[in-house]
Tab-separated table of all heavy atoms in Angstrom:
chain	number	residue	atom	x	y	z
A	1296	GLU	N	3.023	3.683	14.385
A	1296	GLU	CA	2.256	2.465	14.660
A	1296	GLU	C	2.991	1.633	15.714
A	1296	GLU	O	4.207	1.787	15.920
A	1296	GLU	CB	2.064	1.656	13.384
A	1296	GLU	CG	1.244	2.393	12.332
A	1296	GLU	CD	-0.145	2.762	12.803
A	1296	GLU	OE1	-0.897	1.840	13.217
A	1296	GLU	OE2	-0.486	3.962	12.757
A	1297	GLN	N	2.231	0.781	16.327
A	1297	GLN	CA	2.794	-0.061	17.383
A	1297	GLN	C	3.941	-0.896	16.830
A	1297	GLN	O	3.836	-1.481	15.749
A	1297	GLN	CB	1.704	-0.984	17.925
A	1297	GLN	CG	2.092	-1.701	19.199
A	1297	GLN	CD	0.919	-2.467	19.786
A	1297	GLN	OE1	-0.132	-2.584	19.168
A	1297	GLN	NE2	1.095	-2.988	20.981
A	1298	GLY	N	5.037	-0.904	17.563
A	1298	GLY	CA	6.176	-1.713	17.164
A	1298	GLY	C	7.176	-0.998	16.277
A	1298	GLY	O	8.227	-1.564	15.961
A	1299	VAL	N	6.887	0.209	15.859
A	1299	VAL	CA	7.818	0.960	15.021
A	1299	VAL	C	8.613	1.913	15.905
A	1299	VAL	O	8.035	2.710	16.652
A	1299	VAL	CB	7.065	1.766	13.939
A	1299	VAL	CG1	8.047	2.585	13.114
A	1299	VAL	CG2	6.264	0.827	13.054
A	1300	GLU	N	9.943	1.829	15.828
A	1300	GLU	CA	10.805	2.632	16.691
A	1300	GLU	C	10.909	4.056	16.162
A	1300	GLU	O	11.492	4.299	15.097
A	1300	GLU	CB	12.198	2.015	16.745
A	1300	GLU	CG	12.250	0.608	17.294
A	1300	GLU	CD	13.657	0.038	17.164
A	1300	GLU	OE1	14.583	0.633	17.760
A	1300	GLU	OE2	13.843	-0.971	16.467
A	1301	LYS	N	10.404	5.006	16.914
A	1301	LYS	CA	10.413	6.384	16.435
A	1301	LYS	C	11.814	6.973	16.403
A	1301	LYS	O	12.088	7.891	15.629
A	1301	LYS	CB	9.487	7.249	17.300
A	1301	LYS	CG	9.878	7.329	18.760
A	1301	LYS	CD	8.883	8.199	19.508
A	1301	LYS	CE	9.246	8.298	20.982
A	1301	LYS	NZ	8.278	9.124	21.738
A	1302	ASP	N	12.714	6.476	17.245
A	1302	ASP	CA	14.080	6.997	17.232
A	1302	ASP	C	14.883	6.431	16.070
A	1302	ASP	O	15.939	6.960	15.728
A	1302	ASP	CB	14.779	6.665	18.546
A	1302	ASP	CG	14.136	7.405	19.708
A	1302	ASP	OD1	13.603	8.506	19.485
A	1302	ASP	OD2	14.155	6.871	20.833
A	1303	LYS	N	14.418	5.347	15.511
A	1303	LYS	CA	15.115	4.736	14.394
A	1303	LYS	C	14.605	5.290	13.062
A	1303	LYS	O	15.358	5.482	12.131
A	1303	LYS	CB	14.917	3.229	14.404
A	1303	LYS	CG	15.564	2.549	13.209
A	1303	LYS	CD	16.010	1.162	13.555
A	1303	LYS	CE	16.801	0.598	12.412
A	1303	LYS	NZ	18.167	1.100	12.381
A	1304	PHE	N	13.318	5.528	13.004
A	1304	PHE	CA	12.694	6.029	11.782
A	1304	PHE	C	12.187	7.442	12.062
A	1304	PHE	O	11.067	7.645	12.518
A	1304	PHE	CB	11.549	5.114	11.353
A	1304	PHE	CG	11.980	3.713	11.038
A	1304	PHE	CD1	11.814	2.691	11.969
A	1304	PHE	CD2	12.578	3.408	9.818
A	1304	PHE	CE1	12.221	1.392	11.674
A	1304	PHE	CE2	12.991	2.114	9.517
A	1304	PHE	CZ	12.810	1.108	10.448
A	1305	LEU	N	13.062	8.410	11.766
A	1305	LEU	CA	12.736	9.806	12.046
A	1305	LEU	C	11.926	10.390	10.904
A	1305	LEU	O	12.313	10.299	9.746
A	1305	LEU	CB	14.021	10.616	12.233
A	1305	LEU	CG	14.937	10.161	13.364
A	1305	LEU	CD1	16.178	11.048	13.420
A	1305	LEU	CD2	14.219	10.185	14.699
A	1306	ILE	N	10.816	11.005	11.251
A	1306	ILE	CA	9.950	11.591	10.230
A	1306	ILE	C	9.822	13.078	10.484
A	1306	ILE	O	9.563	13.526	11.598
A	1306	ILE	CB	8.564	10.914	10.244
A	1306	ILE	CG1	8.683	9.465	9.742
A	1306	ILE	CG2	7.571	11.692	9.382
A	1306	ILE	CD1	7.429	8.653	9.885
A	1307	ASN	N	9.990	13.838	9.396
A	1307	ASN	CA	9.869	15.285	9.458
A	1307	ASN	C	8.960	15.753	8.332
A	1307	ASN	O	9.185	15.423	7.168
A	1307	ASN	CB	11.255	15.937	9.322
A	1307	ASN	CG	11.179	17.436	9.469
A	1307	ASN	OD1	10.271	17.963	10.110
A	1307	ASN	ND2	12.123	18.138	8.886
A	1308	HIS	N	7.938	16.508	8.699
A	1308	HIS	CA	6.979	16.998	7.689
A	1308	HIS	C	7.050	18.518	7.732
A	1308	HIS	O	6.213	19.181	8.339
A	1308	HIS	CB	5.581	16.495	8.054
A	1308	HIS	CG	4.596	16.559	6.931
A	1308	HIS	ND1	3.665	15.573	6.728
A	1308	HIS	CD2	4.383	17.472	5.982
A	1308	HIS	CE1	2.915	15.879	5.686
A	1308	HIS	NE2	3.327	17.027	5.225
A	1309	ALA	N	8.080	19.049	7.083
A	1309	ALA	CA	8.424	20.456	7.250
A	1309	ALA	C	7.574	21.409	6.428
A	1309	ALA	O	7.506	22.601	6.736
A	1309	ALA	CB	9.890	20.660	6.888
A	1310	SER	N	6.934	20.907	5.392
A	1310	SER	CA	6.107	21.785	4.562
A	1310	SER	C	4.882	21.014	4.099
A	1310	SER	O	4.759	19.815	4.342
A	1310	SER	CB	6.900	22.287	3.361
A	1310	SER	OG	6.986	21.277	2.369
A	1311	LEU	N	3.996	21.697	3.428
A	1311	LEU	CA	2.752	21.073	2.978
A	1311	LEU	C	2.939	20.149	1.781
A	1311	LEU	O	1.985	19.525	1.319
A	1311	LEU	CB	1.711	22.140	2.641
A	1311	LEU	CG	1.137	22.880	3.851
A	1311	LEU	CD1	0.296	24.056	3.405
A	1311	LEU	CD2	0.314	21.931	4.711
A	1312	THR	N	4.171	20.084	1.271
A	1312	THR	CA	4.407	19.219	0.120
A	1312	THR	C	5.561	18.248	0.324
A	1312	THR	O	5.911	17.505	-0.591
A	1312	THR	CB	4.711	20.062	-1.140
A	1312	THR	OG1	5.865	20.876	-0.874
A	1312	THR	CG2	3.527	20.949	-1.517
A	1313	LEU	N	6.156	18.228	1.516
A	1313	LEU	CA	7.334	17.385	1.710
A	1313	LEU	C	7.336	16.713	3.073
A	1313	LEU	O	7.199	17.356	4.110
A	1313	LEU	CB	8.605	18.230	1.580
A	1313	LEU	CG	9.931	17.531	1.901
A	1313	LEU	CD1	10.192	16.387	0.920
A	1313	LEU	CD2	11.077	18.535	1.866
A	1314	SER	N	7.518	15.401	3.040
A	1314	SER	CA	7.762	14.631	4.252
A	1314	SER	C	9.031	13.829	4.019
A	1314	SER	O	9.260	13.330	2.918
A	1314	SER	CB	6.593	13.691	4.552
A	1314	SER	OG	6.905	12.830	5.640
A	1315	THR	N	9.854	13.716	5.054
A	1315	THR	CA	11.063	12.910	4.920
A	1315	THR	C	11.091	11.830	5.990
A	1315	THR	O	10.636	12.022	7.123
A	1315	THR	CB	12.333	13.762	5.048
A	1315	THR	OG1	12.350	14.394	6.338
A	1315	THR	CG2	12.401	14.825	3.965
A	1316	LEU	N	11.629	10.684	5.578
A	1316	LEU	CA	11.830	9.559	6.482
A	1316	LEU	C	13.325	9.296	6.530
A	1316	LEU	O	13.944	9.070	5.485
A	1316	LEU	CB	11.096	8.318	5.969
A	1316	LEU	CG	11.443	6.976	6.636
A	1316	LEU	CD1	10.965	6.949	8.076
A	1316	LEU	CD2	10.831	5.813	5.860
A	1317	THR	N	13.902	9.363	7.710
A	1317	THR	CA	15.324	9.066	7.865
A	1317	THR	C	15.478	7.771	8.647
A	1317	THR	O	15.001	7.674	9.784
A	1317	THR	CB	16.062	10.208	8.592
A	1317	THR	OG1	15.907	11.413	7.845
A	1317	THR	CG2	17.539	9.895	8.721
A	1318	VAL	N	16.125	6.825	8.024
A	1318	VAL	CA	16.434	5.566	8.696
A	1318	VAL	C	17.803	5.740	9.332
A	1318	VAL	O	18.811	5.870	8.633
A	1318	VAL	CB	16.446	4.386	7.699
A	1318	VAL	CG1	16.700	3.070	8.430
A	1318	VAL	CG2	15.139	4.331	6.919
A	1319	THR	N	17.835	5.791	10.636
A	1319	THR	CA	19.088	6.059	11.342
A	1319	THR	C	19.802	4.767	11.687
A	1319	THR	O	19.168	3.738	11.960
A	1319	THR	CB	18.832	6.854	12.630
A	1319	THR	OG1	18.013	6.054	13.499
A	1319	THR	CG2	18.120	8.165	12.327
A	1320	SER	N	21.131	4.828	11.634
A	1320	SER	CA	21.956	3.671	11.957
A	1320	SER	C	21.377	2.407	11.306
A	1320	SER	O	21.009	1.440	11.996
A	1320	SER	CB	22.047	3.508	13.479
A	1320	SER	OG	22.964	2.494	13.814
A	1321	ALA	N	21.315	2.468	10.016
A	1321	ALA	CA	20.655	1.381	9.284
A	1321	ALA	C	21.388	0.056	9.439
A	1321	ALA	O	22.626	0.011	9.519
A	1321	ALA	CB	20.547	1.755	7.809
A	1322	HIS	N	20.616	-1.003	9.490
A	1322	HIS	CA	21.141	-2.356	9.550
A	1322	HIS	C	20.534	-3.175	8.422
A	1322	HIS	O	19.488	-2.799	7.872
A	1322	HIS	CB	20.841	-2.989	10.911
A	1322	HIS	CG	21.653	-2.422	12.012
A	1322	HIS	ND1	21.165	-1.457	12.868
A	1322	HIS	CD2	22.931	-2.668	12.406
A	1322	HIS	CE1	22.099	-1.131	13.734
A	1322	HIS	NE2	23.181	-1.847	13.482
A	1323	PRO	N	21.128	-4.303	8.085
A	1323	PRO	CA	20.594	-5.109	6.983
A	1323	PRO	C	19.116	-5.447	7.128
A	1323	PRO	O	18.405	-5.523	6.128
A	1323	PRO	CB	21.483	-6.360	7.026
A	1323	PRO	CG	22.798	-5.851	7.521
A	1323	PRO	CD	22.435	-4.812	8.560
A	1324	GLU	N	18.647	-5.601	8.349
A	1324	GLU	CA	17.231	-5.944	8.524
A	1324	GLU	C	16.291	-4.785	8.198
A	1324	GLU	O	15.065	-4.969	8.120
A	1324	GLU	CB	16.952	-6.436	9.949
A	1324	GLU	CG	17.354	-5.471	11.050
A	1324	GLU	CD	18.747	-5.769	11.582
A	1324	GLU	OE1	19.604	-6.281	10.829
A	1324	GLU	OE2	18.972	-5.477	12.776
A	1325	ASP	N	16.874	-3.589	8.008
A	1325	ASP	CA	16.068	-2.434	7.583
A	1325	ASP	C	15.885	-2.400	6.081
A	1325	ASP	O	15.111	-1.565	5.563
A	1325	ASP	CB	16.723	-1.127	8.039
A	1325	ASP	CG	16.835	-1.024	9.548
A	1325	ASP	OD1	15.906	-1.492	10.242
A	1325	ASP	OD2	17.864	-0.504	10.035
A	1326	SER	N	16.594	-3.269	5.386
A	1326	SER	CA	16.449	-3.325	3.933
A	1326	SER	C	15.001	-3.657	3.596
A	1326	SER	O	14.434	-4.636	4.092
A	1326	SER	CB	17.366	-4.406	3.351
A	1326	SER	OG	18.717	-4.105	3.601
Side-chain angles (χ1 to χ4, degrees):
Chain A
E1296 297 301 303
Q1297 192 173 8
V1299 178
E1300 299 174 61
K1301 61 180 180 181
D1302 294 330
K1303 177 150 187 79
F1304 298 100
L1305 300 179
I1306 291 172
N1307 184 26
H1308 197 141
S1310 78
L1311 289 171
T1312 59
L1313 174 63
S1314 173
T1315 60
L1316 167 68
T1317 301
V1318 183
T1319 62
S1320 187
H1322 288 99
E1324 56 266 30
D1325 298 323
S1326 297

